[in-house]
Amino acid sequence: MKNKNLYTNYLKVDYRANGLNQIIQGLDNAIKSLEYRVNEQDWYDGIWFREDSEPIYGLAFIAFQNYINGSIKDLVNSTSEKVKYYRLEPNFDIYEKSHIELIIGLANYIKHKDDDGELRKGTSDILRSFNLDVSKNPDIVESSPIFIGLTILSETWNLFEIELNVTNWRANLFKTINQ
């Protein structure tokens, strides 16, 4: 039997990581420009910042979701069991779901929060498991799922920290399916 560790698997190379990093850099720059406004313009306060940055953070979650699902497709060649792969890592200590599941839930929330009707059950279930508001118009300061979820994923709202967790998850997915 051949030792498969002697051979390089072309799927080990994460060609999606560079594109994800470029997106996150751009979104981080946009957030920094809003932070600058908070510091330089008296009228531009934290509420304005949250209103303007929520869709930017939402775009980051969509980019993370695309990276996650694309990685599953690349490595497993199917997304039919993607939820199983979202759960590869241990759950948070105080929550029943993983950080990948939270990212997926937040991405779906931002994409569908303005749609007519309720959120899909899967999205609502994920958000509820993190005690997040599933209403269509939560208070931007007190109960925005985007900001509370962001705080769960990174206390400092650091998108690069979340990016590192996501790329580490992909490396773990690769190891898991190639054991």
Side-chain angles (χ1 to χ4, degrees), residues 4 10 17 22 39 73 87 90 100 111 125 145:
K4 65 181 180 178
Y10 75 95
Q22 297 234 338
N39 295 324
K73 180 68 173 174
R87 296 177 180 159
I100 297 299
K111 289 187 297 190
D125 288 349

Side-chain angles (χ1 to χ4, degrees), residues 8-16 70-77 170-171 173-175 177-178:
T8 301
N9 184 326
Y10 75 95
L11 293 173
K12 188 172 187 176
V13 176
D14 185 359
Y15 71 89
R16 291 179 181 274
S71 292
I72 293 169
K73 180 68 173 174
D74 292 345
L75 299 175
V76 183
N77 204 31
R170 185 199 182 279
L173 173 62
F174 177 82
K175 278 195 313 193
I177 63 171
N178 285 292

Side-chain angles (χ1 to χ4, degrees), residues 23-86:
I23 292 166
I24 297 307
Q25 284 181 17
L27 295 173
D28 187 65
N29 287 339
I31 291 164
K32 282 184 172 126
S33 74
L34 297 177
E35 290 170 346
Y36 175 81
R37 290 178 76 183
V38 169
N39 295 324
E40 297 298 318
Q41 298 175 339
D42 292 339
W43 63 270
Y44 194 85
D45 61 11
I47 295 173
W48 281 102
F49 173 81
R50 283 183 178 240
E51 290 284 348
D52 290 345
S53 67
E54 184 181 54
I56 298 169
Y57 283 113
L59 286 171
F61 290 125
I62 294 167
F64 292 137
Q65 179 186 44
N66 184 60
Y67 174 87
I68 291 162
N69 288 335
S71 292
I72 293 169
K73 180 68 173 174
D74 292 345
L75 299 175
V76 183
N77 204 31
S78 172
T79 57
S80 64
E81 295 184 294
K82 61 188 173 188
V83 174
K84 171 176 106 174
Y85 299 112
Y86 297 163

Side-chain angles (χ1 to χ4, degrees), residues 7 18 41 44 47 50 56-57 65 74 79 81 85 87 90-91 110 113-114 121 132-133 140 142-143 154:
Y7 303 99
N18 185 48
Q41 298 175 339
Y44 194 85
I47 295 173
R50 283 183 178 240
I56 298 169
Y57 283 113
Q65 179 186 44
D74 292 345
T79 57
E81 295 184 294
Y85 299 112
R87 296 177 180 159
N91 296 342
I110 200 71
K113 73 181 188 99
D114 294 325
K121 183 178 178 345
L132 301 179
D133 189 341
I140 195 79
E142 298 296 323
S143 59
S154 171

Side-chain angles (χ1 to χ4, degrees), residues 1 5 26 58 77 88 91 109 111 148 158 179:
M1 182 171 158
N5 291 328
N77 204 31
L88 274 183
N91 296 342
Y109 171 80
K111 289 187 297 190
I148 296 171
N158 185 328
Q179 288 180 351

